[in-house]
Amino acid sequence: MSTHADATKLRLTGVTKSFFTPRTGTTTLAVAEMSLDIQAGEFICIVGPSGCGKSTVLNMIAGLDSPSSGRIEKDGQGITGPGADRGVMFQDYALMPWQSVEGNVGFGLRHGTPGQHLNASQRQERIAHHIDLVGLRGSEHKYPHQLSGGMRQRVALARLLANGPDILLLDEPLGALDAQTRLILQAELLRIWGETAPVSERKTAIFITHDIEEAVLLADRVVVMSTNPGRVREVVTVDLPRPRAGTARTNPKFGLFVEHIWSLIRDEAYRAIGGAASADPASHQATH
Ligand SMILES: Nc1ncnc2c1ncn2[C@@H]1O[C@H](COP(=O)(O)OP(=O)(O)O)[C@@H](O)[C@H]1O
Ligand SMILES: [Mg+2]
């Protein structure tokens, strides 16, 4: 049996998070009243100015932090803490320097819950499969310091996937990479997520980025947030056809999506860096 409601993988209802800083006695409203339903197999990107609460939202879905009020449900159940069903990946690799590629990818399988039902050879097979999947065959015995930034993020992605999560939580995972490596990994990520597979075989992905073009390339929907307090400004449905890797940027609609999202965050982005006159709403009024 399959109904529309069954496909809701994640439901955020009125999620609010405030942080109290005892040292200064101030309270920051990091996320205010965020409500969003995410369908199974959807690729969601979150964009918005620095400090608008993107990482806070992701951490709450990961179960690393909990809402001050509101509710987050996965498959209809409230989230109470971290779990192997939700894999997290950050910008800064977070690899264990004393472990090889193989050791890093296999860490959760050997030492955590994801590998408990597997025997040693099944574990090994799964590790090798994921090293292959991210294109690192031949580098199994290298250590993180012997790898480029792009290769390290491939390792982090393989480790994430090897643990078999059904939700991928990615906090600016390509943010530290050079532009070319980034383009390559965007395409790889789409392939691994399942861009060419039926929707039912895709993982649910939530991907934070500063890069609007990256968001439009990857996402089914882009959640645009604004800051102080962190709120959802608009949810933009990106109905560009898939597969997109290599072709989407030449679609005239691509630029329209980028322009629209940029128009939603432009003023705040300018203010954050000290404010160009043309970004000041008051000066807009004066010139139009
Ligand atoms: N642990 C914390 N304690 C106090 N303030 C925090 C904490 N985590 C985040 N904040 C604040 O909450 C706001 C949102 O932060 P964050 O989610 O990291 O933003 P983003 O990821 O969009 O840059 C910021 O003002 C930040 O300073
Ligand atoms: Mg962040």
Side-chain angles (χ1 to χ4, degrees):
M1 191 186 78
S2 170
T3 65
H4 180 69
D6 285 341
T8 300
K9 178 53 73 180
L10 272 174
R11 170 163 291 167
L12 282 69
T13 314
V15 172
T16 298
K17 179 70 184 181
S18 48
F19 291 107
F20 178 68
T21 310
R23 189 173 52 80
T24 55
T26 53
T27 299
T28 306
L29 185 53
V31 180
E33 289 291 330
M34 180 164 180
S35 294
L36 183 70
D37 276 9
I38 297 172
Q39 305 303 304
E42 246 194 317
F43 202 125
I44 297 286
C45 283
I46 304 180
V47 300
S50 210
C52 71
K54 302 181 294 294
S55 295
T56 302
V57 169
L58 209 77
N59 288 341
M60 289 190 288
I61 297 171
L64 299 169
D65 212 337
S66 51
S68 307
S69 64
R71 186 169 167 81
I72 304 180
E73 287 174 1
K74 185 196 160 218
D75 297 320
Q77 303 284 321
I79 284 174
T80 55
D85 57 324
R86 284 153 288 140
V88 190
M89 180 171 162
F90 301 103
Q91 179 175 329
D92 57 2
Y93 319 119
L95 300 179
M96 289 164 284
W98 64 91
Q99 293 271 352
S100 66
V101 167
E102 212 263 347
N104 271 286
V105 173
F107 195 83
L109 289 176
R110 293 195 176 113
H111 304 287
T113 48
Q116 273 171 2
H117 63 290
L118 304 174
N119 65 32
S121 75
Q122 288 169 322
R123 256 175 236 156
Q124 202 49 45
E125 202 176 297
R126 190 141 149 191
I127 294 164
H129 168 77
H130 286 94
I131 288 175
D132 238 13
L133 188 67
V134 300
L136 283 178
R137 191 194 292 188
S139 299
E140 289 87 345
H141 303 298
K142 290 191 175 146
Y143 285 82
H145 74 273
Q146 298 172 295
L147 305 174
S148 67
M151 288 167 88
R152 286 186 215 168
Q153 280 309 60
R154 286 170 192 261
V155 177
L157 185 61
R159 178 178 57 184
L160 174 82
L161 295 166
N163 293 334
D166 65 344
I167 300 183
L168 309 179
L169 302 172
L170 308 151
D171 194 346
E172 304 196 37
L174 311 183
L177 304 176
D178 66 79
Q180 288 84 29
T181 306
R182 202 170 170 139
L183 291 179
I184 292 165
L185 285 191
Q186 287 165 354
E188 300 251 313
L189 188 64
L190 284 172
R191 172 179 64 80
I192 290 165
W193 164 70
E195 173 157 88
T196 54
V199 176
S200 61
E201 287 169 27
R202 294 176 185 166
K203 295 196 179 290
T204 307
I206 305 178
F207 183 106
I208 294 176
T209 178
H210 267 109
D211 180 337
I212 298 173
E213 290 196 15
E214 181 168 89
V216 172
L217 178 74
L218 299 174
D220 293 313
R221 287 189 293 158
V222 179
V223 176
V224 184
M225 292 183 67
S226 60
T227 196
N228 283 326
R231 283 185 193 282
V232 175
R233 178 101 193 249
E234 191 173 314
V235 179
V236 179
T237 299
V238 181
D239 59 357
L240 296 170
R242 293 190 187 274
R244 293 184 190 161
T247 59
R249 283 191 173 83
T250 61
N251 186 325
K253 279 174 76 180
F254 187 92
L256 296 177
F257 281 118
V258 171
E259 189 52 42
H260 175 62
I261 294 168
W262 176 230
S263 76
L264 294 171
I265 60 177
R266 178 170 46 210
D267 291 352
E268 278 191 78
Y270 273 110
R271 271 198 295 277
I273 59 164
S278 65
D280 182 342
S283 78
H284 269 296
Q285 278 165 10
T287 53
H288 290 296

